[in-house]
Amino acid sequence: MKTILIVGIGTGNPEHVTVQAINALNRADTLFIPDKGAAKADLADLRRDIVARYVTNPASRTVEYAVPKRDAANPDYGAGVDDWHAALAQRFESLLAEVPDHGACAFLVWGDPGLYDSTIRIIERLGDRFAVEIIPGITAIQALTAAHGIALNRIGEPVHITTGRRLGKVLDDTIVMLDGQTAFMTADPGLDIFWGAYLGTPDEITIAGRLGEVRDRIVETRKAARERHGWIMDTYLLRKRDAE
């Protein structure tokens, strides 16, 4: 049986890669590097850098593959994602055919494979023909709170994690990920926001303050950064002051 290693590599800093992740990468015969096009070449470059820094197994090789594009225009978000995952599963099927029998391969996953990443679900579509191991990684949430020098939770209090699409009512402490719609613009302006983009990389940007006072600056900063880099990954914490 072939082994699939789904390896979390952190949010952009090669030093986020754990010893466990390094050991897993060195077990792999084949290392898969996703290519999302010229606009997101930085994401592939970081994975190449990690391989060059940490992989010492002379028998390993890297295989790059083009990532199918999701139909963002599909009004049915769930159906669009399902179609995209089906296309990725087909791509993974062909990639895994290149792995030697009883060999191991690794998918290098941004952040942590268990948090807002679909690699695990896509591999599950392929059935039980493979042994699968998950190696956790540092998440954007951890990088965000470290960058701002704050704790994620208040004493004895919960934390809500959601996406911009599902923001809705803000609880006392709410982490928002995957917010291409800047949903914070419609949130209570009295909230505090701790925002960060390109967390853990040399291009890291952070802004914090009362939402009503800094939200326009975040939008402008975000737009300029996206135009400069061709892509953006950002995360933020919304916090109610009256919950302190």
Side-chain angles (χ1 to χ4, degrees):
M1 181 178 285
K2 299 176 183 180
T3 298
I4 300 173
L5 304 164
I6 305 177
V7 183
I9 59 171
T11 67
N13 185 341
E15 295 183 5
H16 283 179
V17 181
T18 65
V19 173
Q20 184 186 22
I22 292 170
N23 290 338
L25 294 176
N26 277 288
R27 286 171 51 199
D29 306 291
T30 309
L31 304 165
F32 294 123
I33 307 291
D35 180 0
K36 296 187 177 183
K40 296 185 177 180
D42 292 353
L43 304 181
D45 287 343
L46 175 79
R47 288 175 169 89
R48 297 186 193 103
D49 182 27
I50 287 171
V51 171
R53 283 188 184 214
Y54 300 125
V55 176
T56 57
N57 178 0
S60 71
R61 65 191 182 108
T62 59
V63 173
E64 302 195 9
Y65 66 97
V67 176
K69 291 186 177 181
R70 179 172 67 86
D71 182 9
N74 190 333
D76 187 333
Y77 176 77
V81 170
D82 187 65
D83 290 344
W84 182 46
H85 286 179
L88 278 163
Q90 289 183 341
R91 186 66 47 85
F92 286 6
E93 185 86 59
S94 62
L95 291 171
L96 292 166
E98 302 183 32
V99 178
D101 290 339
H102 308 292
C105 63
F107 289 89
L108 283 70
V109 173
W110 203 267
D112 180 88
L115 182 65
Y116 286 112
D117 181 83
S118 295
T119 306
I120 296 172
R121 296 186 187 92
I122 295 164
I123 295 297
E124 287 175 345
R125 288 173 177 249
L126 305 180
D128 57 2
R129 293 170 292 141
F130 308 98
V132 180
E133 297 181 30
I134 313 298
I135 290 81
I138 290 176
T139 69
I141 298 172
Q142 294 160 283
L144 177 74
T145 56
H148 284 285
I150 60 172
L152 175 60
N153 65 295
R154 260 79 70 89
I155 296 173
E157 296 298 326
V159 175
H160 181 57
I161 302 174
T162 188
T163 64
R165 186 183 299 273
R166 299 293 299 273
L167 179 55
K169 181 182 179 180
V170 175
L171 304 182
D172 289 345
D173 290 287
T174 299
I175 285 282
V176 184
M177 307 180 74
L178 304 175
D179 184 14
Q181 301 82 29
T182 58
F184 58 82
M185 291 297 288
T186 60
D188 178 359
L191 295 167
D192 281 331
I193 186 169
F194 300 88
W195 175 86
Y198 311 104
L199 291 160
T201 77
D203 299 310
E204 180 176 279
I205 310 169
T206 58
I207 297 174
R210 187 67 70 98
L211 179 60
E213 297 172 358
V214 301
R215 60 187 177 188
D216 290 338
R217 178 155 62 96
I218 292 174
V219 170
E220 293 168 3
T221 301
R222 191 181 188 281
K223 179 181 178 182
R226 188 183 185 99
E227 290 174 351
R228 183 166 62 253
H229 295 284
W231 62 278
I232 190 167
M233 289 186 181
D234 59 337
T235 304
Y236 55 90
L237 168 67
L238 293 174
R239 170 165 285 172
K240 289 184 178 180
R241 290 193 172 190
D242 61 4
E244 294 180 350

